[in-house]
Structure formats: C-alpha cells, structure tokens
Amino acid sequence: MTTRTLPRPITAPERSAADALVVAPGGTTRGRARGYPLRREGPAKLTGAAKYADDLVFPGAWYGATIRSTQARAKLVAIELDPDLDWSKVVVVTAADIPGENLVAAIKEDQPVLVPVGGEIRHHAEPVALIAAPDRETIRRLRAGIRLVTEALPPVFDPERSDHVFAEYEVQNGDLEVGFGAAAHVVEGEYRVGHQEQLYIENNAMIAVPGEDGGMAVHGSLQCPYYVHRALRKTLGLTAGQARVVQAETGGGFGGKEEYPSIIALHAALLARKAGRPVRMIYDRHEDIAATTKRHPAIIRHRTAVAADGTLLAQDIEIVMDGGAYCTLTPVVLSRGALHSGGPYRCPNVRIRARATRTNTPPNGAFRGFGAPQVEFAVETHLNRIAERLGLSPAELRRRNAYELGDTTPTGQVLRESVAAQEVLRLAVEAGDFELLRSATARAAAERLGSGEVPGGPFRSGGARTAPGIGLAMGWHGAGFTGSGEVHIGSVASVELTADGRVRVLIASTEMGQGTTTIFPLMVSGELGLPAQAVEMAPVDTAIVPDSGPTVASRTAMVVGGLCIEAARRLRAEVEARNDGRPFAEVYLADAAAHGPTRIDQRFEPYPDIDFDDTTYQGDAYPAFGWAACVATVDVDLDTGEVAVRDVVAVDDVGRVIHPILCEGQVEGGTLQAVGYATIEEIKLQDGRYLNDRLATYLIPTALDAPRLRTILVEAPFSGAPHGAKGVGELPMDVGAPAVVAAIHDAVGVWITELPATPERILAALEGPRGTQEPAA
Amino acid sequence: MPAEPPIEVPVRLSEAYSLLAGGPLVPIAGGTDIMVRITGELGPVPERMLDLSRLDELEGISLEDGSLALGARTTYTELRRSTLCREHAPALVEAAATIGAAQIQNRGTLGGNIANASPAGDTLPVLLAMDADIEVGGHRGERRVPAAGFFPGYRQTALAPDELILRIRIPLAAGRVTRFRKVGTRRAQAISKVVMAVSWRAHGPSAGWSDVRVALGSVAATPIRAAAAEAALEGARPSPETADAAAEALADELTPIDDVRSTGDYRRMVAARILHRIVRDAGGW
Ligand SMILES: Cc1cc2nc3c(=O)[nH]c(=O)nc-3n(C[C@H](O)[C@H](O)[C@H](O)COP(=O)(O)OP(=O)(O)OC[C@H]3O[C@@H](n4cnc5c(N)ncnc54)[C@H](O)[C@@H]3O)c2cc1C
C-alpha cells in the first residue's frame, strides 16, 4: 500500500497546494478532494459581508462593561459610587439587581454571575458590577468612579495545597503489585503543563435585546446556544419561550466559547433589562485574555513497570488539575484526562488517580482536547523516556504495546472495532522516515561530541549552530461525550422538506470556522440524492432549531451528523413511499407542493452495546476512539535554545472523512496549536493575575513559525454512526506536543518535562548537570 | 475609546517648530507605537498631536559629509529597499527586517523607534554600535547628540519637549564590520528578549580589532554599550581565547531582569553566547 501523496501532473497548475491523503486501513489511497464544495460561509467572510456580533446594529443600543476584581481573594464589603459623578445617565448593575438565581448554570453551580456584597471574590478579574452607557467615553469616565471596598483574604495558588476538591476519580484494573513485582524496569516521572489560551480570532461578544413580553434575546459569538438559553432562564427567571439565543457569525471557539458566553450573555441581559434597551457587551482582547477560561494546568506523575522486552506491566498514574476559582466544566475535563492518561497502550495492571482542585486564579474550562492534551503529553514523554532507558526505538516500544482489536482498556472496555492504533503508528513512522532520520540525528550528535568542543566554557556552545532532532508520539481520543453524556443530553436534530420545496437542516450545532455549515449539506444531500447546494442550513436561533446539543467534544460530525443522516433517510423513505417509490430528487418539489412540509425530528438513541457506569468508572468510556500518530522534526539553536519545528507528519484516524480539505484543515490547525503549546504558549502569573494578558505578550506561532505539515487521514469507521465518522476536531491537538518535546530531546539530549519547552527551560536544562530536568528515576 | 485628540499638520519644518514652541504636542510619524496608546488603556492619551507626515525635511536617505544620513521618517521598508543602506549599514537593514512584520515595517519609522526609546527597540543597538549621531531641532536651533548619549534613562531621551528628531547620521568608517542578532520568542512579531549589535574595524586579516562596540537592547533599562566586553575585544584578534574572555566579561557586566518575556539568567547567558558566536564567526574557527 502506498502512503505517499498521489503524483500530480506537472503541467496543469492545481488550485490546491498539497494532496490530501485518505487511507483506509489495509486499503488504498483515495486521493484529493476534488469536487468537494467550498466552505459555505467562506465568501461572506472573505468579502467582509459576514456579520459578527460587533457588526450587528441594534438602534438605541448602549455599550456595556464589566467592573472586575483586582485581587485574587477578598471579601467584598461594599460597592461605592463616587458621589461627585453624575450617575443618572448610565445604569449600574450589581448582584442585587438579579431577578433569578445569582448563579451561572453549569455542573456545580458555584459561580456567581456577579459577586454579591458580603460575598467572596475568588479570582483576579472576577465580575463584580456592570455598567452601561450610550457611549464608551462615558463608561470610561464613570467606571473609574466605581470603587470596590474589600478585605483581602489569603489566596491559594498551588492546586496540590488546595483543600477544595472539584472532582476526584479512581480507575483500577488488574493488580499493581503483580505488575511491579514482575518488572525488569520501573520508570518514574513527573510532568507539568501550564495554562493555554484558546485565542480565537474574534473576541467574546454578546448583545442582549429586551423584548416587549419581558423576554430577552441574545445575539452573540458562541458554541452552545442552549447552554446560554438555560443560563438566561435560570438567572433572569425566564420561561423557555421568553429566552432566545441567536448565534452571530463566530470567529473561532476552540472551547473558549463553550461555557463562558453564558456569563457574558447574562451580564448583557442584566444591563439590558435595567436600561430597557439593547446592550452590547463586546470584549477587547485584553479583557478576553484576562478574564475568560484557559486550558487547565496539570501535574501528572507516572510510575511504570516494564518487562525487559518493553511490554508494559503496570501503570500507576496520578493527575492533579488546577480548576481555577470555579468548577465550570472541570469534572468533565478531569474525567477525560483520567480516561486518556494511560495512552493507547495495552497494560494489564493500571491505577489512575485524578483530582481537580480549586485555586484563586480565573476559572479554567473547555479547550480543544479537553483534558487529553495534558495527560497525553505526560504519558507519551514518559514512554519515550522508557524507550531511552531500554535502548529501544520509540517506534518499536509503541509497536509492542499499542492497542489492537480485542484489547481491554483500564475501564474494562473491550475494543471491539475501529482500532487503528498500529496503523497510524506505522504510517507516521514510514511517512516521517522516522528510523532513517533518527539515525541521522544521532550521527549529527555524535559528530558534535566528537568535535571535542561541546560545551567548552559556559558561554561556548561549540562549532555547530543548531542540532537537528526527530520525535514520535501517538495518541487516542475518545469520540464524542465521555460515558453516558450523550444519553443524558438526548439531542434532537431535524431535516425538513418545507412547503415551498426547500430542504433544510435544523441543528443548534454552530459554525465557527470548522465547517459545520459545509459538511451537513454534504451529508444530508448524499442521502437524498441532491447536490449539496440544494440543502440549506437553518439559522442557529433557539426559536427555530432544536437542541442538538453543544458544539463540543468533536461530536458534531459524528453524533449530530449521524442524526441528520438518519433523519434524511427517513425523510427520503417517507416521501418516496407516497410517490410510488420514485427517487426523492425527482419528486420532492411536487411532494412539497401537494403535501406541505415534512419534518423529521431525530432523537439520539444510545449506541448498541455501549455501556458505562459513571459511579465505578467501569465500562465503555467512549463509543469509539480516534487514533493519531505524529512525527516532528526540529532544529534547536545551540546558542539560544530556540526551537524551530521544521516538519510534522500527522496521521489521524477519524473514522470517516466527510470533506477531505476541511478535515485536513482541522489536523493542520490542531497540530499547529499543539506546536504552540509545546514551544511558546505560556501564561505567566503573579499573585493570581495573568501577566501576559495581551496579544503583545501572549504569543502563538506565526506563519513563519509553522512547520511544513503533512497530513495523512485514516478511515477506520465506527459502526454506531451511520457514516462511520468519529470526529476530528480535538484528536490532532493531543499528539503534537509530546512529539516536539521528543524531538528536542533527540536534538540536545535533555528531557523537558514541563510545557512549554521554552528556550529558557532548554538552556537551563543543558547548562545544569545533565538530566536535572528529569525527575529521579 | 476617547475622542481623537486634535492634530496639527504642518507642511514645513519651521511651522512645526513654532507649533511645538506654542505648547506640548506629541509627534506622530508611523503611529505604530503611539496608536497602541491611543485607547487610554495603557496610560494617558496625548492631548494634542503633531502629524509629521507632510514634512519632507524628515525624509530621504543620502550620503553626506562622510556619513549615511537617514531622515527620521524613513520606514523599515524603505530601509530594507535602500541600496545605500544595504551597502553602508547592512546591520541596520537586518534589524529593520526583524521588526514586527510587513505592516509594521511599512509604517514604522527609524525616528519613531528612537523617540519611543524602548529598551527593546531593535535598531537602537545598531545605532549605538555604529556611532550614529541623532540630529534634533526646534525653534531654538538644531544640534547633534551621539546615539550613545541619547537614552539617559528608562524610556527617556535627550529630546526637549519642543524638539523633533530630524535625521540620523551614521559615519562611514573604512574597514568597519557590524553584526546584528535578535533573539525573540517567535520568528515575526516578537519583541526582543536580547538584541545585539557588534562592530569593529580590522585592517587586514591578522590585525587586531579596533573601535570595538558591543551594544545591546532588552538587557537593561535603556539600550546600552557593554564597556567590559568592548575592552576585552579592543586590540585583540578574534581567537577562541578572546571570544571566551569577551563573553565572560559581558556576562559579568550585565544585570538583566526577569520579566514577562524572559528571565535575567537567560538574557545574560544568551547575550554572552551570541557575542561568542559573532567573534567565532569573525575568526572563522
Ligand atoms: C505589532 C507591532 C510590532 C512591533 N514590533 C517591533 C519590533 O519587532 N521591534 C521594535 O523595535 N519595535 C517594534 N514595534 C514598535 C514600533 O513599530 C517601532 O518602535 C517603530 O519604529 C515606531 O515608529 P513610528 O513611526 O510608528 O512611531 P510613532 O508611533 O509615530 O511614534 C513613536 C514615538 O516617537 C515619537 N516620534 C516619532 N517620530 C518623531 C520625531 N521625528 N521626532 C520626535 N519624536 C518622534 C512619537 O511622539 C512617539 O512618542 C512594534 C509595534 C507594533 C504595533
């Protein structure tokens, strides 16, 4: 089987640069994405016609702003308005103005919409009061006149010292003592990862528009319309009909617009309610970075028993996640983290202990990967260190341990289908020329050592300027929600043939640049025998679309896509049945004219034979898994420790590729986000405040920092979904960072066990006695 | 955002001088620094501004009286495209190429970089290393200030409030070599963690170095020259021993701080290492 891209004719210049490659396990390449539709929202975005929240005009709207705490922890004694200022032309909202519950609807409901007087400020930049005015200048003048009287309380910043536990899990399988008793080697390691900011292009933004009936409509940038809907009902005491949420064009989310928009929507709505007019709550970048959620920092400890041939015998894993000041989605993030922490490897004796605690930093929340990138960085780096200890190739160690069909995971889940771990590993090792390049980098290292001048004196880095390195990592990502999440939610998606003969998809799943509005018409039209452009997407407005669940967990194509395919099949059957079995495409216009609208509402049905026990953490944690492997090459500057990531081969099994170019885009974007996580993305804190809360100081890779990315897509379909898709959004985020860190080690011989692997950390490790960055083994 | 400050747009330098004499005015050239401050979020917003965009006197790149003269309004893009600059001040061209990215290089000016006086201003070590003079003027007359004396303190300059930077003069010196190196967090749009320019004159391959300048940014409150490192290199040839001695001297004399971009230890070590590398490259060993 070939794993190379298909040769392209040299004569005809192709519009698309690289060949997307799709490989079915054991099959042949499917080639390029010719004939697939362009992104549906693309032209409006390119021409500037797309309306993001800040582009929406509501006559008479005021501007809103948030007054935030400047302490990590304090008692709020009073909120004082400067008596010398004129407050008559503005509205100020405090917790006392909240008609319903002063709680943001979430898992634990511990987070106030605004800190009440007498209550506790729990983090820097926490919302305490709100102000709205006809113009921003008035806000700027008056906000300085709102004074928070507080009494400082001692903050907690170390998640291991916190005594408030948000969530705790233990997963057990086999017997650790048996595993460690049989070990030829025991390898221990501690790994740390910091915050990461989602850094969507469009900042958070919400506009609340009060209705005549006491209702409230909110327009904004968001991933999950029904989360916001629920929050409005709870805090404003509205009925389902009185609350309405409309998604504006959304410029990226990455999880950062999963739970936080509820708070902004509530703030805008409280101001709008008091002002009796629309209020615009548009964050600037500084506020967005300072106040909204980040990826959870974590400390992960591994103790692993290995046989002489590299077979894993036991894994003892401890995870501590820093939840920040409020619970948000932390229990679910932690749960996914725990379930992925052993990596995609067979191991008979496993114990995973995970806990997430409260600290006095802004709350952490959803971010692409959702707990998995943290733990997979740890286990992959640990595995690479085991390979080093055993003198085995990292590829060979993985080959000996990666899951195969029929293996059992730590929760006792038997992998009955759709297991492509060995396949993605093989493809990545081949396409990345892993073994060949690894011997070349080893030769380069030997030559540097042989030159006899490394390191000669503290400031001499020797003859060579840079050191090349290559690294490998693999990973898995549970498809869709963890455990019984999908069953609890019971999503509904609809496909409708309207009275005037249009076919519409009605879902609350949002487009935020990833391609929802492009792939749904593709999936539905395929079932109906229509061209994709014949299928419309209904506007994402809770007054129109059913609750198809949040746009998270890489579940949109897999779960909601599956529902729409089923709905389309039912629609087709129904229409064809009343038209003498003639094809839908031929009869649907006449059918609509004769019979009026036909709408199919498809509700999620549990996947057959998938069963998870949320209390014992045993059973099928996910209906299926996506599998990925990644080979990265780097050059490390020997003078400065700067890392240039040169080339990344990313192999991802997504079950079924729906739109090759968009799918490749997800892999490239996720991989680059992982490269940023690995090398430069870092939040620095002082007394619980983010120090680098601006684009000038929170840096992500630019186009010049992006490696050459090569994507190989693998299809190992999941039988529970009609199309076999397992999702692609998060999987690539899980594997890039450990591959880059392994490449840095290959280049310069030090293990960086704390992300990001900054030049500061690399030089410190190189300069210290060798291996000081490594925990004692 | 507060209302836009009123802005004067003189078309002649003399007019600009009398406007400046009339009260405080904040000049705006490319605006890439000043516009960041215009929201009021990062400090006071200028009350009145002086637009320099019509002042032809601040433009142009030429050779005059044995020096390369660059108008204060020279943009980085102009610098990069100028054959005169490429020939006589290649290190300055290199520095210009590392600033921001294309948009910033199209608007940002050399005069703005100097007047802004950031310790991380990337052209400033080059100007220090090349013994540039900053020519400034106002209604009381015009004067020249050596670059090395232009930055008395953190974000301070030798400019009086009623003065403008007119041009930058870089003396041409036979046999002078200047090297530039910037270390930032990423390959574009990065403020320096360490930036260095080193220049020296050598008469023939075996002769020692003279007029050595080692200038750095982002390692102190102002752009600085490193006297001990210069002394270690002055009169010496670029041998391994010289490189070691200069690097150690530099590490000893620097006391950079930890901040949001990097650590003091890293800056010190990397400054020494890139100096070592520059000497090594010059020595060809
Ligand atoms: C995204 C971005 C990236 C950047 N990257 C870099 C970088 O990599 N390296 C770097 O060094 N800088 C960088 N900068 C800073 C800035 O671009 C430079 O300092 C630039 O040279 C400023 O020039 P300007 O003409 O835009 O200055 P302006 O903003 O117009 O003015 C800056 C200051 O100088 C004063 N001024 C301007 N001209 C004169 C004059 N002739 N006489 C007296 N006073 C004057 C102004 O009053 C003001 O105080 C960056 C800025 C941004 C926004």
Side-chain angles (χ1 to χ4, degrees), chain A residues 696, chain B residues 25-37 49-50 52 58 72-76 95-96 98-101 104-105 107-118 120-124 136 159-160 163-167 182 188-192:
Chain B
L25 280 171
V26 177
I28 175 167
T32 58
D33 276 315
I34 211 87
M35 290 304 284
V36 178
R37 277 185 265 154
M49 299 186 73
L50 184 77
L52 307 182
L58 307 189
R73 263 181 49 212
T74 304
T75 66
Y76 298 114
T98 69
I99 291 184
I104 295 297
Q105 291 174 18
R107 289 208 62 85
T109 66
L110 191 54
N113 205 223
I114 297 167
N116 193 56
S118 159
D122 284 321
T123 67
L124 310 181
V136 305
L159 271 182
E163 280 181 320
L164 290 179
I165 297 174
L166 307 179
R167 61 192 66 80
K182 166 174 172 171
Q189 300 286 27
I191 303 300
S192 291

Side-chain angles (χ1 to χ4, degrees), chain A residues 388 445 448 467-469 636 638 741-752 762 765-766 769-774:
Chain A
E388 183 189 32
R448 285 200 307 278
V636 180
L638 291 167
V741 166
I744 292 170
H745 172 264
D746 187 50
V748 294
V750 290
W751 285 111
I752 304 299
I762 293 170
L766 276 172
R770 286 282 151 139
T772 45
Q773 277 270 308
E774 277 180 81

Side-chain angles (χ1 to χ4, degrees), chain A residues 349-608:
Chain A
N349 308 295
V350 180
R351 177 173 70 173
I352 301 163
R353 288 171 300 171
R355 71 179 198 279
T357 60
R358 185 171 79 193
T359 63
N360 293 105
T361 54
N364 298 309
F367 191 161
R368 189 181 211 170
F370 211 73
Q374 293 95 317
V375 300
E376 297 200 41
F377 163 68
V379 68
E380 289 302 298
T381 305
H382 195 63
L383 226 76
N384 283 326
R385 293 182 51 228
I386 292 173
E388 183 189 32
R389 170 80 74 85
L390 270 59
L392 264 183
S393 156
E396 183 53 32
L397 179 65
R398 286 178 170 80
R399 244 186 312 268
R400 292 182 189 175
N401 289 288
Y403 280 134
E404 300 191 39
L405 212 59
D407 281 338
T408 305
T409 73
T411 63
Q413 174 168 8
V414 179
L415 300 170
R416 287 182 301 257
E417 62 158 339
S418 191
V419 182
Q422 296 284 353
E423 187 76 10
V424 295
L425 175 63
R426 188 177 62 76
L427 287 168
V429 168
E430 280 177 21
D433 279 334
F434 181 70
E435 298 297 0
L436 188 77
L437 290 175
R438 206 165 76 90
S439 45
T441 57
R443 263 200 315 280
E447 274 166 27
R448 285 200 307 278
L449 278 173
S451 74
E453 47 172 359
V454 193
F459 307 120
R460 247 195 211 198
S461 33
R465 269 157 223 279
T466 58
I470 185 163
L472 168 72
M474 63 185 295
W476 59 335
H477 201 89
F481 278 134
T482 302
S484 34
E486 208 59 70
V487 178
H488 287 316
I489 284 206
S491 315
V492 178
S494 309
V495 176
E496 181 183 27
L497 173 59
T498 67
D500 53 355
R502 293 173 298 132
V503 177
R504 300 211 288 177
V505 176
L506 297 101
I507 52 173
S509 310
T510 54
E511 172 68 73
M512 41 192 156
Q514 84 282 39
T516 302
T517 55
T518 309
I519 63 167
F520 275 75
L522 206 53
M523 290 188 279
V524 166
S525 65
E527 297 299 325
L528 299 177
L530 296 175
Q533 61 269 28
V535 175
E536 289 175 24
M537 296 297 294
V540 177
D541 176 338
T542 56
I544 298 172
V545 295
D547 185 358
S548 62
T551 315
V552 304
S554 311
R555 67 182 281 282
T556 300
M558 169 188 168
V559 178
V560 187
L563 294 179
C564 286
I565 286 174
E566 302 283 11
R569 286 179 183 167
R570 280 171 54 200
L571 176 66
R572 175 178 191 145
E574 199 173 314
V575 170
E576 289 181 353
R578 57 180 178 238
N579 289 279
D580 311 321
R582 287 162 57 212
F584 180 88
E586 280 173 27
V587 301
Y588 77 102
L589 288 175
D591 182 84
H595 299 277
T598 310
R599 172 168 165 163
I600 309 291
D601 295 324
Q602 187 74 28
R603 178 175 288 277
F604 178 81
E605 295 289 338
Y607 294 118

Side-chain angles (χ1 to χ4, degrees), chain A residues 136-137 140 284 286 453 455-465 637-646 680 684 691-692 694-702 704-706 758-760 763 767, chain B residues 1-3 39-43 45 181-191 193 240-241 243-244 247-249 251-252 259-263 266-270 272-274 276-277 280-281 285:
Chain A
R136 287 183 163 142
E137 174 56 16
R140 201 179 67 90
D284 66 11
H286 168 52
E453 47 172 359
F459 307 120
R460 247 195 211 198
S461 33
R465 269 157 223 279
D637 186 311
L638 291 167
D639 294 331
T640 64
E642 291 168 290
V643 176
V645 183
R646 294 288 175 211
I680 60 174
K684 296 187 177 164
L691 286 179
N692 50 333
R694 295 177 186 276
L695 278 183
T697 45
Y698 186 84
L699 303 187
I700 64 170
T702 67
L704 287 186
D705 301 281
T758 57
E760 284 78 1
L763 274 202
E767 283 310 300
Chain B
M1 194 192 288
T39 61
E41 226 189 317
L42 301 174
V45 175
R181 176 73 199 262
K182 166 174 172 171
V183 180
T185 303
R186 59 184 177 191
R187 285 208 278 284
Q189 300 286 27
I191 303 300
K193 293 176 179 178
E241 295 70 34
D244 286 353
E248 300 224 1
D252 281 345
D259 68 8
V260 72
R261 294 202 169 84
S262 188
T263 63
Y266 179 83
R267 292 180 154 116
R268 222 176 115 256
M269 169 169 297
V270 164
R273 285 169 159 234
I274 61 185
H276 197 279
R277 175 69 63 188
R280 179 186 182 114
D281 285 345
W285 35 279

